[in-house]
Amino acid sequence: MFDVPTVKIGRVFGIPVEIDLSWFVIFGLVSFSLATTVFPQIEASRGASAWVYGSVGAITALLFFASILAHELCHSLVARATGGGVERITLFIFGGVAQMDDEPESAGREFLMAAAGPGMNLVISAVAFGGYSLALAQGAPWWIWAPLEYLSGINVLVALFNLLPGFPLDGGRVLRSMLWGATGDLLKATRWASRAGQFIGWGMVTMAVLGVVQGDVGYIWFGLVGWFVANLAGQAYRQQLLRARAQAVRVIDIMTPAPEYVPGDATLDALVHDRLLGGRHSRYPVIHEGSIVGLVTLADVKAVDRADWPYVRTIDVTNRDLGALVVSQDASVASVIPRLAGDSPGALIVAGDGRLAGIITRADVIALLKDSVQSAP
């Protein structure tokens, strides 16, 4: 989330759950606040030791973050139930996030996914309040009913905050789903909902500045959350713009046509001297007997002992997984982005009518997306 390591803590309903190391900061702050401010102010707790306050504070903080995890799980389970996929859930300094495989395919699906999280917080709040009321009626000690009272109140606040109508908050996603359903234009709906999110975020920052000027440093955290929301809102619109642009452009529009290629019978020695050393590229399509057989890269050549280069044919070291390497010239750019990411060769062979039509590289896609961002309204 913040380019810091994460710790995997297991799976819930088959969904990987991990903790960003920044989470330990907020966990410590919440635990400390409960142990030194919230619980000591309770009349029934007077006289308790610092160890008791600290223990109850830490346990309550863990239960609070368990409710954040439940919030994200609800998003994830609804997404999965409606045909989507979930990569992981990450807890971090500003709460939690469920990382989906892709955006919702319909306004109705997004509405259900967005509403599920705050709905879970309200359910947790109601259950905690019921437990709190029962514990008080039974004369239970403060360290039982006080955490339940806290969890009941904080979950209502979490639900209300998330329901603010600004993207990417859940309320902003609800707003986007309604605008999407009304206009039929996901990009326009995202722009309006994201602008609302930026307005809310920068409004929080403004309130925080005024609060700090008046001497209340507690507003600093409020301002940081607002800054985070405002920045995420801007990023969300840019990402949707890029997705829309990539979906609208075909591979044939940005590929390199009639690319250089290597005959399958060429030796590695010839490949290195004629193409890899003297050419502009580090990977080439390989053609054998008039057909596309795969893609050869510099890494493939390096895997062979230098002394064997004059005797090994290019086709013998070529990556021949055509299902992963070949794309139709009429495919959308959006569909090939995942195939160019990560540890892939960074290039795909483009075929038209069964023949070599071109090559599309990671750099081609980056150039398109960069141009799209620069021309964004």
Side-chain angles (χ1 to χ4, degrees):
M1 185 58 63
F2 290 101
D3 294 325
V4 297
T6 59
V7 179
K8 295 180 180 179
I9 60 175
R11 291 175 176 267
V12 183
F13 296 109
I15 301 170
V17 178
E18 57 187 37
I19 294 177
D20 186 290
L21 293 185
S22 67
W23 175 83
F24 290 97
V25 175
I26 189 61
F27 172 74
L29 290 174
V30 172
S31 300
F32 181 78
S33 175
L34 290 169
T36 60
T37 303
V38 177
F39 292 148
Q41 292 178 349
I42 298 173
E43 183 66 30
S45 74
R46 298 295 168 80
S49 67
W51 182 88
V52 171
Y53 285 134
S55 299
V56 178
I59 292 171
T60 305
L62 283 175
L63 290 173
F64 167 59
F65 284 105
S67 68
I68 299 297
L69 176 58
H71 173 113
E72 299 302 334
L73 271 173
C74 274
H75 286 316
S76 303
L77 293 176
V78 171
R80 196 162 66 181
T82 54
V86 183
E87 292 184 8
R88 70 183 68 86
I89 294 174
T90 305
L91 298 178
F92 67 113
I93 193 169
F94 290 118
V97 60
Q99 296 175 319
M100 308 296 176
D101 287 342
D102 205 352
E103 286 289 317
E105 296 177 355
S106 69
R109 181 182 166 205
E110 172 152 65
F111 181 91
L112 292 174
M113 288 170 52
M120 173 53 72
N121 288 116
L122 294 177
V123 169
I124 294 173
S125 176
V127 171
F129 184 78
Y132 159 71
S133 301
L134 180 60
L136 275 185
Q138 296 296 320
W142 71 270
W143 46 267
I144 292 180
W145 58 258
L148 291 171
E149 181 184 28
Y150 172 82
L151 290 171
S152 178
I154 196 66
N155 272 281
V156 169
L157 292 177
V158 169
L160 292 177
F161 175 75
N162 275 280
L163 286 172
L164 290 174
F167 200 83
L169 297 173
D170 294 331
R173 289 188 174 274
V174 169
L175 174 62
R176 184 174 78 159
S177 71
M178 296 170 67
L179 293 171
W180 183 7
T183 65
D185 188 332
L186 176 57
L187 182 59
K188 182 182 294 184
T190 304
R191 181 169 66 248
W192 291 346
S194 296
R195 297 288 159 75
Q198 290 177 307
F199 178 80
I200 289 171
W202 292 123
M204 292 173 64
V205 171
T206 301
M207 291 175 61
V209 171
L210 294 176
V212 171
V213 169
Q214 293 174 1
D216 190 345
V217 295
Y219 274 95
I220 291 177
W221 184 254
F222 189 76
L224 287 174
V225 173
W227 171 83
F228 181 70
V229 169
N231 276 274
L232 273 189
Q235 290 177 21
Y237 174 64
R238 288 192 293 272
Q239 289 171 359
Q240 189 58 51
L241 179 68
L242 296 181
R243 274 192 289 268
R245 175 65 170 155
Q247 190 64 45
V249 176
R250 295 183 305 161
V251 167
I252 193 173
D253 297 324
I254 66 169
M255 73 178 188
T256 300
E260 297 180 54
Y261 64 87
V262 178
D265 285 333
T267 64
L268 296 189
D269 204 48
L271 167 63
V272 170
H273 288 91
D274 296 344
R275 289 285 189 269
L276 296 176
L277 289 181
R280 298 175 299 163
H281 311 296
S282 61
R283 60 237 161 178
Y284 290 89
V286 178
I287 304 296
H288 187 64
E289 297 180 352
S291 299
I292 302 170
V293 295
L295 189 75
V296 66
T297 69
L298 179 59
D300 297 324
V301 176
K302 286 183 175 180
V304 179
D305 189 275
R306 173 68 181 83
D308 294 330
W309 286 1
Y311 315 106
V312 177
R313 297 182 306 165
T314 296
I315 194 173
D316 297 326
V317 300
T318 295
N319 181 346
R320 303 177 70 172
D321 184 2
L322 297 184
L325 292 172
V326 176
V327 62
S328 167
Q329 62 184 9
D330 294 321
S332 71
V333 173
S335 69
V336 304
I337 289 177
R339 298 169 63 181
L340 290 170
D343 296 329
S344 71
L348 294 173
I349 300 167
V350 183
D353 298 324
R355 304 184 66 83
L356 177 64
I359 190 167
I360 181 171
T361 68
R362 190 180 291 132
D364 295 327
V365 174
I366 290 173
L368 170 69
L369 299 183
K370 183 178 180 181
D371 179 67
S372 299
V373 169
Q374 292 175 343
S375 60

